[in-house]
Amino acid sequence: MYAKGLRIAGATDPGCVRERNEDAVRWSRRAGVAVLADGMGGHLAGDVASSMAVDLLGAELEALVRRVKGDPGEVLLGILQAIEHVNGEIYATARSQPQYAGMGTTVVAAVFAHGWLTVLHVGDSRLYRLRGGVLEQLTVDHSLLRELGASATPQERAVLEMAGRNIITRALGIAPEVEADVQQQGVEAADLYLLCSDGLSNLLDEDDLLRLASAPRGSLNERVKRLVALARERGGDDNISVILVEVP
């Protein structure tokens, strides 16, 4: 496994406005797995969907890493099978219990195994990579703003930003099948990876993320705390979740 020596830290915070935290995070330094989800739905349903996503998917990905012996293709196939299974579990729960009807969640997951990073995401939770002083967003939001905004006029884009920045076009658990984006990237020494919900990325721009995530002083935990604190200072109008993964 590549996970030996990885450093991982994360946090989830309700923010300054929301009564409940519908985000959830999970990670295993030993397995080299990090999962973050941002739930949605009625009373308590978002909490349930995001918790199911990180718990079920996290457990399956950790077992996958232990099982696979070095073939990146096996990791890719295993992740696709895992996300279909977890989607089915969340969907079945929503269908069988009226109080959870319509619940769903975004998810972004990172698996570090055998020198490769495999990234899975559904929705607008993101993964960034900081390498050689350059911050790059590796995921592409499944959102109305992104899908309609590319060809929009500045005036139309302004309307979309106000009306549709939180409207996602894909989510886990809202249909019997899910279309997830999965990709594999080579991992290099000193890489830093940032997983976050839109409660962070909507309030901090890439300059903020680069400055705080790459701060030379302070532990990984302290950098996580600074990211969350700045999002709260800027209004904290949504739940805020972040995971940092540092390659030695």
Side-chain angles (χ1 to χ4, degrees):
M1 294 185 295
Y2 192 92
K4 185 176 180 180
L6 282 179
R7 290 181 287 272
I8 307 180
T12 184
D13 187 279
C16 304
V17 176
R18 302 290 178 90
E19 293 184 1
R20 299 196 315 274
N21 189 352
E22 296 187 330
D23 287 2
V25 295
R26 171 174 171 151
W27 64 87
S28 168
R29 185 186 61 81
R30 183 174 183 180
V33 171
V35 186
L36 181 152
D38 180 353
M40 60 187 186
H43 180 61
L44 297 182
D47 312 45
V48 172
S50 62
S51 295
M52 288 183 68
V54 299
D55 290 341
L56 294 174
L57 186 60
E60 292 204 20
L61 296 183
E62 290 160 23
L64 173 67
V65 171
R66 291 193 295 269
R67 185 173 70 247
V68 170
K69 301 304 180 183
D71 181 359
E74 288 186 53
V75 176
L76 192 65
L77 178 60
I79 284 179
L80 289 170
Q81 293 172 337
I83 195 65
E84 286 294 343
H85 174 247
V86 173
N87 181 75
E89 290 291 316
I90 297 173
Y91 179 72
T93 300
R95 295 271 290 180
S96 64
Q97 302 187 46
Q99 70 271 31
Y100 299 149
M103 73 176 180
T105 182
T106 72
V107 69
V108 58
V111 178
F112 297 83
H114 312 293
W116 289 86
L117 164 64
T118 307
V119 182
L120 173 149
H121 89 284
V122 180
D124 61 355
S125 293
R126 296 179 178 179
L127 185 142
Y128 294 87
R129 179 185 65 203
L130 175 59
R131 174 181 290 171
V134 177
L135 186 72
E136 181 180 359
Q137 183 180 334
L138 298 184
T139 55
V140 176
D141 294 351
H142 301 141
S143 68
L144 183 65
L145 177 60
R146 185 195 67 82
E147 293 178 10
L148 298 182
S151 59
T153 67
Q155 292 81 9
E156 290 169 335
R157 186 170 181 83
V159 172
L160 286 171
E161 287 175 348
M162 288 189 294
R165 78 171 189 176
N166 291 322
I167 298 176
I168 57 175
T169 54
R170 298 188 210 175
L172 199 62
I174 61 172
E177 297 181 354
V178 63
E179 183 182 357
D181 285 355
V182 182
Q183 58 177 298
Q184 289 185 312
Q185 302 271 342
V187 174
E188 295 183 5
D191 279 353
L192 181 69
Y193 296 88
L194 165 67
L195 294 78
C196 65
S197 62
D198 66 344
L200 187 86
S201 58
N202 282 342
L203 296 176
L204 276 61
D205 61 26
E206 292 194 359
D207 288 339
D208 295 320
L209 299 178
L210 179 60
R211 173 173 53 85
L212 294 176
S214 62
R217 299 181 62 185
S219 68
L220 215 57
N221 274 316
E222 289 169 340
R223 282 180 266 174
V224 166
K225 290 177 182 177
R226 286 195 291 266
L227 286 162
V228 173
L230 182 56
R232 288 181 61 90
E233 288 174 16
R234 294 189 177 169
D237 59 354
D238 199 354
N239 306 145
I240 306 159
S241 294
V242 57
I243 302 174
L244 288 177
V245 184
E246 191 171 52
V247 179

